[in-house]
């Protein structure tokens, strides 16, 4: 009898461990598991260091398999980044629940200490130290000590030595006056979803080496770089129904960088880009298999107010990836359709080192420079090609349909 009971006990333990592991990966969180940070000692007065108390809430929720970390109305000062844990949602009272810093801190929510699954942040405000206003779009900023970034993570798609990170969500948050990238996701597996957020007076929300990026229904205003950057090493991207206003460089940067090609599957759809410094959509360094459809690109300047140049001011810019002076990967299999280009300083769509491109059904209104001293043929036009003085830099199978 004792022997039977012993093996029955072992079976229960094994089954419980298996269920715990499955729960860890599946993202199941008990809806009733709410951990109020003030019950763990957070004051939210903008003076006390609330990082230890909030971290205790996160660690306790993690111990019990996950849950919601609740931030009531208050200003929660951090002196170190919070360490995220699997199956945790950090949720707050919207504009009233503020994470802030008065000393240099790398970020509000930072690198996990181990593998991370199913982590989300909703309805909180992260406020940085940028203090200047003025004429936009503009690159330069002044700031006081605070967060460099708001949320930053590096996963093993970048390097094997890093933790595995998958299924990250940032929803309905406010990112204000962050001098660096407000969200910077690197090497995330499965998907990273950023939706319904408001970004003002920050650098660009950024993604590199991510498997699937979904940047949907956000508002980005007064950005000191691009509106959003889905860059080198990213595989798939959906950038849809966002509003980008007064950003210094590009509304959407869906491109490679530093010798690495751009995304290999993308959809840029239904966005509004107004008063951008460099241009609307950058598809440079060989992105492939994508669509740019139904966007409004309204008013593009010859650069931000503090970096003016006649070379800037394009609606959409398409280029290949070059390595060692030669084309390593063309931009290809791209459709530019149903977009409105209005008040674009230099020209509408620029092509070089590209193949299998369809440009169809777009509207061009007041596109091109008004400066009569500009005589180059690739200015003052709706669709134009740049001379690309590298081997393999020509154009192949370009379709134009009215």
């Amino acid at each position: 009898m004792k022997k039977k009971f012993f093996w029955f006990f072992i079976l229960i333990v094994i089954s419980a461990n298996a269920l715990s592991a499955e729960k860890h990966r599946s993202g199941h969180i008990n809806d009733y598991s709410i951990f109020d940070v003030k019950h763990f000692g957070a004051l939210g007065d903008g003076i006390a260091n609330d990082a230890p108390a909030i971290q205790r809430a996160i660690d306790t929720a993690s111990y019990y398999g996950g849950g919601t970390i609740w931030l009531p109305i208050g200003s929660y000062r951090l002196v170190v980044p919070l360490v995220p844990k699997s199956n945790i949602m950090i949720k707050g009272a919207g504009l009233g629940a503020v994470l802030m810093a008065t000393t240099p801190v790398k970020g509000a929510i930072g690198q996990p200490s181990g593998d991370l699954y199913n982590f989300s942040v909703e309805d909180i405000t992260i406020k940085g130290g940028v203090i200047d206003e003025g004429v936009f779009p503009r690159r330069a900023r002044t700031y006081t000590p605070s967060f460099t970034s708001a949320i930053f993570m590096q996963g093993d798609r970048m390097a094997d030595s890093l933790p595995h990170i998958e299924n990250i969500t940032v929803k309905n948050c406010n990112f204000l006056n962050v001098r660096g990238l407000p969200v910077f996701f690197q090497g995330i597996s499965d998907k990273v979803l950023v939706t319904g957020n408001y970004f003002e007076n920050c650098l660009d929300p950024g993604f590199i080496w991510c498997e699937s990026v979904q940047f949907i229904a956000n508002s980005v205003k007064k950005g000191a770089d691009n509106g959003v950057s889905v860059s080198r090493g990213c595989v798939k991207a959906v950038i849809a129904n966002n509003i980008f206003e007064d950003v210094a460089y590009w509304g959407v940067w869906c491109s490679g960088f530093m010798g690495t090609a751009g995304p290999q599957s993308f959809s840029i759809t239904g966005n509004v880009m107004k008063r951008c410094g460099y241009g609307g959509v950058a598809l440079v360094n060989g992105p492939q298999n994508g669509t740019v459809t139904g966007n409004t690109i309204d008013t593009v300047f010859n650069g931000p107010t503090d970096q003016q140049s006649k070379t800037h001011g394009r609606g959409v810019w398409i280029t290949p990836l070059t390595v060692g002076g030669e084309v390593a990967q063309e931009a290809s299999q791209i459709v530019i359709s149903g977009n409105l280009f209005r008040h674009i300083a230099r020209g509408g769509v620029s092509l070089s080192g590209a193949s299998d491109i369809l440009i169809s059904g777009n509207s061009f209104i007041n596109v091109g420079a008004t400066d009569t001293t500009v005589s180059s043929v690739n200015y003052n036009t709706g669709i134009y090609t740049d001379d690309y003085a590298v081997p393999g830099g020509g154009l192949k199978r370009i379709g134009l349909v009215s």
Side-chain angles (χ1 to χ4, degrees):
M1 182 66 182
K2 288 182 178 180
K3 185 177 290 187
K4 288 182 179 179
F5 178 79
F6 172 77
W7 287 112
F8 179 70
F9 176 77
I10 293 296
L11 181 61
I12 290 175
V13 171
I14 292 172
S15 299
N17 287 339
L19 286 171
S20 176
E22 177 60 27
K23 180 179 179 181
H24 181 72
R25 292 185 61 88
S26 69
H28 174 74
I29 298 174
N30 187 341
D31 292 338
Y32 301 101
S33 301
I34 299 175
F35 300 80
D36 188 324
V37 298
K38 292 199 172 182
H39 295 167
F40 291 82
L43 298 181
D45 61 1
I47 299 172
N49 173 22
D50 284 326
I54 299 173
Q55 192 64 55
R56 281 195 297 272
I58 293 171
D59 294 344
T60 303
S62 177
Y63 177 83
Y64 287 104
T68 298
I69 310 303
W70 172 247
L71 275 67
I73 291 174
S75 293
Y76 300 90
R77 177 173 168 263
L78 307 180
V79 300
V80 294
L82 301 173
V83 179
K85 300 291 180 69
S86 294
N87 300 325
I88 296 292
M89 175 191 295
I90 298 179
K91 185 176 178 65
L95 280 169
V98 180
L99 297 179
M100 44 85 70
T102 57
T103 57
V105 181
K106 187 174 181 180
I109 301 170
Q111 183 71 357
S113 56
D115 293 349
L116 181 67
Y117 301 87
N118 312 309
F119 176 77
S120 64
V121 182
E122 295 189 11
D123 297 303
I124 67 170
T125 297
I126 302 179
K127 186 177 294 186
V130 175
I131 58 175
D132 61 328
E133 289 292 337
V135 180
F136 294 92
R138 189 175 74 255
R139 173 64 171 175
R141 293 292 189 276
T142 57
Y143 53 87
T144 58
S146 186
F147 299 123
T148 300
S149 186
I151 304 173
F152 66 93
M153 297 180 188
Q154 293 183 317
D156 60 359
R157 288 182 60 84
M158 276 191 65
D160 291 340
S161 60
L162 294 168
H164 183 80
I165 304 176
E166 68 174 56
N167 194 15
I168 306 298
T169 299
V170 180
K171 182 178 179 181
N172 297 338
C173 294
N174 303 286
F175 298 87
L176 308 176
N177 306 318
V178 179
R179 72 181 182 92
L181 279 66
V183 296
F184 192 16
F185 292 111
Q186 308 166 67
I188 309 300
S189 299
D190 196 0
K191 77 174 187 295
V192 52
L193 169 64
V194 178
T195 183
N197 301 285
Y198 180 73
F199 302 86
E200 182 172 346
N201 214 1
C202 306
L203 280 185
D204 43 334
F207 308 83
I208 62 175
W209 299 104
C210 292
E211 184 175 358
S212 177
V213 175
Q214 299 175 28
F215 192 83
I216 300 172
N218 301 284
S219 178
V220 181
K221 188 175 182 180
K222 300 179 183 176
D225 202 281
N226 304 308
V228 63
S229 295
V230 182
S231 193
R232 60 188 185 276
C234 288
V235 181
K236 298 177 288 186
V238 175
I239 303 169
N241 302 325
N242 302 285
I243 298 175
F244 305 101
E245 297 179 278
D246 297 295
V247 299
Y249 292 161
W250 295 88
V252 173
W253 175 272
C254 185
S255 304
F257 193 63
M258 297 178 66
T260 303
Q264 299 306 291
S265 176
F266 62 89
S267 174
I268 302 170
T269 305
N271 301 284
V272 175
M273 304 163 221
K274 300 183 70 173
R275 299 179 300 277
C276 298
Y278 277 8
V281 178
L283 304 174
V284 304
N285 294 319
Q288 298 181 336
N289 307 304
T291 60
V292 179
T293 58
N295 302 283
T296 295
I297 302 174
D298 186 349
T299 308
V300 173
F301 303 106
N302 291 127
T305 57
D306 53 348
Q307 294 183 4
Q308 290 278 296
S309 170
K310 296 293 184 184
T311 61
H312 303 313
R314 313 169 196 245
V316 174
W317 188 26
I318 302 174
T319 75
L321 172 69
T322 61
V323 177
E326 297 187 358
V327 171
Q329 178 172 299
E330 291 180 324
S332 67
Q333 303 288 337
I334 297 172
V335 175
I336 311 294
S337 177
N339 302 286
L340 171 62
F341 299 90
R342 180 166 54 196
H343 306 310
I344 313 297
R346 177 175 173 177
V349 179
S350 167
L351 297 162
S352 61
S355 64
D356 300 296
I357 309 295
L358 174 63
I359 303 174
S360 171
N362 300 284
S363 297
F364 299 90
I365 301 173
N366 193 28
V367 171
T370 58
D371 186 347
T372 57
T373 64
V374 177
S375 59
S376 177
V377 295
N378 58 13
Y379 289 69
N380 302 313
T381 55
I383 301 169
Y384 61 98
T385 59
D386 276 344
D387 294 328
Y388 217 82
V390 295
L395 298 171
K396 310 182 191 75
R397 299 178 298 279
I398 308 299
L400 302 177
V401 180
S402 62

